[in-house]
């Protein structure tokens, strides 16, 4: 999978500003996808031929000095556990604080690669460089003087990060798991929702440790399985250790564990607790599957603890669809991992979704569908001209990805994009993520360029 690079530091040193600068866009804390509000704490970036994932570990709750120090220290510890390289952000104008010193002490002991980012240096004068030099006292190696707000020193920081990444692995940049006939299924979810119990119930043996203590699973555990002639690998998401040396606020960071296993999965099984309604963290994990383009099945566990009345199940299903409407295509199942009720249905659906994940549509059928869509719902007017959709083709699978040739690729309204997506789902019965992009006809830009002088001459 892609290496993980964590950004740590105390509050108000500019972690989120640096995160936005490094990933090349202003990522709002409120997602712009309709139907969900969730934090964005991760994003892929590329530099000098290496692709990696930045993780912004912000989100401290302010408290008294001792509590704040503990939160800062715990967050650094979590980053050390989960990530390949750490960017330690400090406020160069304020100098070394007790919180900075506490984190640096832990990072030195860890042996993990660290880059110190001396932030808030808004010019390159000798005085500013001297402020950065103070942080060499932390004993973490090179210090990068920079300003996240103004973009100063960002290239040097990128160079340092790439230099400290582990050697590049084969297929590290692959956007989809290998198509080798093996179905890879990751089990994701908040701590203590029953992930390990579900795996054991499917395997009908105690393959992984199951405990009521959240965070029992310390590393991703792969479990091979042959089911109705299909070869599968179930991966139980790594939890976060609950020793004193590890962050206690694990739910906020379970996305890191999900990132690790989802990169190599065809299908993600999002396990939820029937005793709790959908929470923000469930939305984060569902959104992660959508963004990574992975098939998703939502499984409500511990249904044996809830009244088994069918009407109540339907009510729960409808409320869940509303809360997670941005993945409304995903199947929803109700199970009890403890009793084994409906656990085989989880595998059945995962196998079905894995096949849809690699579905390929015949091009003639696609273009007949496009013609039908345009006839029944004509494309809108864009910049005073009709939007024309010429033809469609499927360019790749995992997930199914389609390209539509049009005269205005940048002008297709979101509403019309959703209409096309829904028609593709309905026609091919797809319950997996779908990607659609629009492109010009070959030579269209040149034709338009030739027209411009002629039009100017007439005016």
């Amino acid at each position: 999978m892609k290496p993980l690079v964590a950004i740590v530091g105390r509050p108000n040193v500019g972690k989120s500003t640096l995160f936005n600068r490094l990933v090349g866009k202003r990522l709002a804390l409120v997602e712009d996808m309709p139907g969900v509000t969730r934090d964005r704490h991760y994003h892929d970036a590329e530099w000098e031929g290496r692709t990696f994932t930045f993780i912004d570990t912000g989100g401290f709750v302010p408290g008294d000095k001792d509590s704040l120090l503990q939160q800062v220290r715990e967050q650094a510890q979590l980053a050390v556990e989960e990530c390949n390289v750490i960017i330690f952000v400090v406020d160069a104008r304020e100098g070394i604080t007790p919180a900075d010193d506490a984190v640096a002490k832990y990072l030195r002991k860890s042996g993990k690669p660290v880059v110190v980012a001396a932030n808030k240096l808004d010019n390159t004068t000798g005085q500013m460089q001297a402020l950065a030099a103070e942080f060499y006292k932390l004993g973490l190696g090179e210090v990068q003087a920079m300003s996240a707000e103004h973009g100063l020193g960002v290239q040097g920081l990128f160079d340092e990060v790439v230099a400290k990444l582990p050697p590049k692995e084969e297929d590290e940049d692959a956007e989809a798991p290998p198509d080798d006939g093996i179905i890879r299924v990751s089990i994701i979810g908040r701590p203590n929702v029953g992930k390990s119990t579900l795996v054991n119930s499917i395997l009908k043996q105690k393959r992984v440790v199951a405990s009521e203590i959240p965070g029992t699973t310390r590393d991703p555990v792969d479990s091979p399985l042959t089911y109705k002639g299909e070869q599968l690998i179930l991966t139980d998401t790594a939890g976060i250790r609950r020793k004193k040396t590890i962050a206690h606020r694990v739910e906020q960071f379970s996305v890191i564990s999900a990132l690790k296993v989802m990169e190599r999965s065809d299908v993600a099984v999002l396990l939820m607790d029937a005793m709790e309604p959908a929470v923000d963290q469930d939305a984060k994990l569902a959104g992660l599957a959508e963004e990574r383009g992975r098939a998703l099945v939502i499984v409500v566990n511990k249904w044996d603890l809830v009244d088994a009345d069918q009407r109540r199940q339907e009510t729960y299903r409808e409320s869940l669809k509303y809360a997670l409407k941005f993945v409304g295509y995903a199947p929803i199942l109700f199970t009890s991992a403890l009793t084994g009720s409906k656990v085989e249905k989880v595998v059945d659906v995962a196998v079905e979704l894995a096949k849809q994940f690699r579905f390929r549509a015949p091009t003639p059928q696609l273009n007949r569908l496009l013609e039908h869509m345009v006839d029944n719902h004509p494309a809108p007017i864009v910049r005073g001209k009709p939007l024309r959709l010429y033809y469609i083709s499927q360019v790749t699978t995992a997930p199914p990805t389609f390209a539509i040739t049009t005269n205005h690729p940048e002008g297709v309204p979101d509403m019309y994009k959703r209409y096309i997506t829904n028609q593709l789902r309905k026609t091919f019965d797809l319950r997996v993520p779908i990607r659609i992009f629009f492109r010009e006809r070959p030579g269209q830009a040149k034709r338009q360029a030739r027209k411009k002088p002629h039009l100017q001459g007439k005016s």
Side-chain angles (χ1 to χ4, degrees):
M1 64 165 292
K2 299 180 184 71
L4 300 179
V5 179
I7 302 173
V8 304
R10 58 188 175 83
N12 302 318
V13 294
K15 295 190 300 297
S16 294
T17 303
L18 177 59
F19 176 71
N20 289 338
R21 176 69 65 177
L22 292 173
V23 302
K25 59 181 72 175
R26 292 184 63 85
L27 291 179
L29 291 180
V30 179
E31 171 64 14
D32 57 5
M33 190 180 300
V36 63
T37 300
R38 57 188 171 83
D39 291 340
R40 290 292 300 273
H41 291 297
Y42 55 89
H43 202 275
D44 290 343
E46 188 273 334
W47 189 258
E48 298 294 335
R50 289 299 298 272
T51 302
F52 41 92
T53 301
F54 281 118
I55 298 178
D56 177 13
T57 60
F60 291 122
V61 178
D64 58 44
K65 184 176 180 181
D66 291 339
S67 174
L68 180 61
L69 281 172
Q70 180 181 359
Q71 291 177 44
V72 174
R73 187 167 53 247
E74 286 178 346
Q75 192 171 49
Q77 291 162 354
L78 177 71
V80 165
E81 282 291 314
E82 300 294 326
C83 298
N84 301 100
V85 177
I86 315 297
I87 298 177
F88 180 27
V89 187
V90 295
D91 186 336
R93 294 181 300 190
E94 192 170 333
I96 298 175
T97 68
D100 296 329
D101 202 42
V103 174
K105 181 178 180 181
Y106 179 80
L107 293 177
R108 286 196 303 271
K109 290 181 179 179
S110 74
K112 275 288 180 79
V114 180
V115 180
V116 179
N119 194 28
K120 302 189 179 182
L121 297 178
D122 298 336
N123 60 57
T124 56
T125 64
Q127 181 181 6
M128 290 297 187
Q129 297 298 319
L131 291 175
E134 176 188 1
F135 290 88
Y136 281 97
K137 296 178 184 178
L138 296 176
L140 293 170
E142 284 295 317
V143 177
Q144 290 293 312
M146 64 170 305
S147 168
E149 183 176 359
H150 299 288
L152 298 175
V154 171
Q155 291 188 1
L157 182 64
F158 262 119
D159 290 338
E160 282 292 316
V161 168
V162 171
K164 294 180 182 295
L165 290 175
K168 190 170 184 177
E169 297 180 358
E170 186 179 358
D171 297 329
E172 178 180 278
D173 298 330
E175 293 297 324
D179 187 9
D180 55 6
I182 300 176
I183 298 172
R184 292 167 173 81
V185 180
S186 57
I187 314 295
I188 63 174
R190 292 177 290 118
N192 207 30
V193 295
K195 297 187 296 294
S196 296
T197 304
L198 176 64
V199 173
N200 288 335
S201 184
I202 292 172
L203 297 173
K204 295 182 171 56
Q205 58 180 308
K206 288 193 175 182
R207 173 65 178 83
V208 293
V209 177
S211 169
E212 293 182 358
I213 302 174
T216 305
T217 305
R218 292 172 53 167
D219 297 298
V221 179
D222 287 345
S223 300
L225 169 68
T226 300
Y227 181 80
K228 297 182 179 179
E230 300 284 354
Q231 298 296 316
L232 294 87
I233 294 179
L234 304 180
T235 303
D236 185 15
T237 311
I240 305 300
R241 281 178 279 182
R242 293 283 267 176
K243 296 180 181 179
K244 288 188 294 184
T245 58
I246 299 302
H248 292 284
R249 296 165 65 237
V250 293
E251 288 192 13
Q252 184 176 351
F253 303 102
S254 59
V255 66
I256 301 176
S257 298
L259 271 168
K260 283 189 166 185
V261 299
M262 201 170 297
E263 294 284 347
R264 53 193 177 100
S265 299
D266 302 287
V267 182
V269 173
L270 172 58
L271 202 62
M272 301 175 59
D273 191 331
M275 305 304 292
E276 299 181 25
V279 297
D280 287 345
Q281 189 67 358
D282 294 320
K284 288 181 186 180
L285 294 171
L288 177 63
E290 163 64 29
E291 289 174 357
R292 284 315 199 236
R294 298 305 186 252
L296 175 68
V297 52
I298 299 170
V299 178
V300 181
N301 190 30
K302 306 181 184 180
W303 195 247
D304 56 307
L305 302 179
V306 181
D307 184 1
D309 182 80
Q310 185 67 27
R311 288 174 297 180
R312 182 164 185 178
Q313 186 176 117
E314 290 308 311
T315 301
Y316 197 106
R317 185 191 304 273
E318 290 304 314
S319 65
L320 201 53
K321 282 185 176 181
Y322 180 80
L324 303 177
K325 63 178 67 174
F326 60 99
V327 287
Y329 54 82
I332 300 175
L333 303 177
F334 294 82
T335 70
S336 169
L338 187 63
T339 66
S341 173
K342 302 288 183 67
V343 294
E344 288 193 352
K345 182 67 174 177
V346 175
V347 187
D348 287 330
V349 172
V351 170
E352 178 188 346
L353 293 183
K355 293 176 180 178
Q356 294 184 17
F357 184 60
R358 299 188 183 276
F359 167 81
R360 184 170 289 277
T363 301
Q365 186 178 0
L366 282 172
N367 282 286
R368 287 195 297 271
L369 174 61
L370 181 64
E371 183 179 355
H372 174 78
M373 286 189 288
V374 173
D375 287 344
N376 284 271
H377 190 172
I381 303 296
V382 176
R383 298 177 184 173
K385 295 182 179 180
L387 177 66
R388 302 192 184 281
L389 306 180
Y390 300 113
Y391 46 87
I392 181 174
S393 62
Q394 184 172 354
V395 293
T396 189
T397 64
T401 303
F402 305 89
I404 297 178
T405 304
T406 176
N407 59 335
H408 286 295
E410 71 288 347
V412 183
D414 289 340
M415 183 179 297
Y416 206 72
K417 292 177 183 177
R418 288 194 291 271
Y419 164 68
I420 294 172
T421 300
N422 290 337
Q423 290 299 307
L424 286 167
R425 288 196 188 285
K426 181 179 178 181
T427 301
F428 299 109
D429 192 24
L430 296 177
R431 295 187 291 172
V432 296
I434 291 176
R435 300 289 185 256
I436 300 177
F437 66 91
F438 298 84
R439 59 189 180 189
E440 295 178 337
R441 285 188 297 180
Q444 181 173 325
K446 291 183 180 179
R447 289 192 296 272
Q448 291 175 342
R450 286 197 300 266
K451 288 180 180 180
K452 286 183 179 180
H454 174 67
L455 293 173
Q456 292 171 355
K458 289 183 66 175
S459 64

